[in-house]
Amino acid sequence: MRVLRCLDGSVLTVVPVAAVDRGGAPFEITLELRRDGAAFGAVGERCGYFLADLAARLDDARADGSP
């Protein structure tokens, strides 16, 4: 969970929420946004694939010999 202080003084909290299959195993995530504790929205519906891809590309970029 990450917390951001907005310019208007409100607090925006970003909470990763797992999507689970029928057996209860997590397979994806959505990022839930809360403003001052109240539901504000959700982003990245099923964004786990994209976050994993980004992490892999960053690892590749940091590797020795990477252009």
Side-chain angles (χ1 to χ4, degrees):
M1 177 172 62
R2 292 288 190 180
V3 177
L4 304 168
R5 172 85 47 197
C6 300
L7 290 175
D8 66 359
S10 62
V11 175
L12 183 67
T13 307
V14 181
V15 181
V17 179
V20 296
D21 63 16
R22 292 181 196 170
F27 66 93
E28 275 290 356
I29 61 169
T30 299
L31 301 176
E32 182 180 283
L33 304 176
R34 297 190 162 271
R35 185 174 181 216
D36 292 333
F40 185 70
V43 294
E45 182 176 343
R46 308 289 192 252
C47 64
Y49 168 80
F50 298 108
L51 291 174
D53 181 58
L54 174 61
R57 289 187 292 146
L58 286 172
D59 284 342
D60 291 345
R62 291 179 181 141
D64 290 338
S66 173

